[in-house]
Amino acid sequence: TSGPTSSPTEYFICEEAESAFAYKEGEISSSFLTDGLDRWGWTLGPLGPGEYTFSVISGADSGDASSGEEVATLTFVYREDGSAEATFTSLYGIAFEESQIYVGSDDYPLDSQGDRTVTPGLFPYTHEEISGKTSDMYTWGAGSFGGDIYIIAHVVTCGEVTPTASPTGSPTATP
């Protein structure tokens, strides 16, 4: 008796998606709302070379991190040679749907009209197809950055994930 020759590929359906931004208590975080922008979240910096760990907070609609929930961490390593690495790691098994990150010498990225933007889809570095993942990494080579930098890091989290399976092919033989 023969069965299918392909194994199923697992897909995830996100039942409850929510935005989350990296945050650090103290002067290193500046609120978008306090800076006159129309969305909650934080820009982080200025940062010199070093290793940093940030909380990733969801549900802080007022811009007050204590009103949200920590759902992940972001480890950011910025090296003297201008290379960098950013790693999102989820907490409590929460899955990611997508991630976006801005890294630059200004506190905010600019849109096509030259205005400051905090729309994650306009950030220069994005991973749109990470459904079901619990970690995500970005890397930049030597010379990518110089001097002090700022970052804005965003993920869409999925608190409830329903795994589904769909075969990747048809059976090649029947029983």
Side-chain angles (χ1 to χ4, degrees):
T1 308
S2 299
T5 59
S6 62
S7 59
T9 299
E10 197 164 33
Y11 296 94
F12 294 88
I13 298 171
C14 183
E15 304 291 340
E16 188 179 318
E18 188 153 359
S19 276
F21 285 92
Y23 171 80
K24 182 81 167 181
E25 184 71 39
E27 293 180 20
I28 202 168
S29 293
S30 183
S31 167
F32 300 166
L33 296 171
T34 302
D35 289 348
L37 297 158
D38 62 355
R39 181 183 184 134
W40 72 271
W42 304 272
T43 184
L44 306 166
L47 305 174
E51 184 170 332
Y52 303 88
T53 301
F54 303 102
S55 297
V56 179
I57 308 292
S58 71
D61 296 339
S62 66
D64 175 10
S66 66
S67 70
E69 177 183 1
E70 184 178 14
V71 294
T73 59
L74 174 71
T75 302
F76 189 81
V77 179
Y78 178 30
R79 297 178 190 88
E80 294 283 343
D81 68 358
S83 65
E85 183 177 288
T87 305
F88 289 100
T89 305
S90 76
L91 302 176
Y92 322 112
I94 292 172
F96 301 138
E97 284 292 300
E98 61 188 60
S99 70
Q100 301 86 14
I101 191 165
Y102 162 75
V103 182
S105 57
D106 295 318
D107 52 354
Y108 290 97
L110 302 178
D111 64 17
S112 60
Q113 286 78 41
D115 297 321
R116 296 185 310 173
T117 184
V118 291
T119 303
L122 297 178
F123 294 174
Y125 310 106
T126 63
H127 291 161
E128 300 295 325
E129 300 296 329
I130 59 169
S131 182
K133 304 266 187 208
T134 57
S135 67
D136 189 32
M137 176 187 258
Y138 291 81
T139 58
W140 298 269
S144 295
F145 308 106
D148 286 347
I149 59 173
Y150 293 83
I151 65 173
I152 303 174
H154 174 260
V155 293
V156 173
T157 63
C158 191
E160 293 182 30
V161 176
T162 304
T164 62
S166 177
T168 58
S170 298
T172 57
T174 55

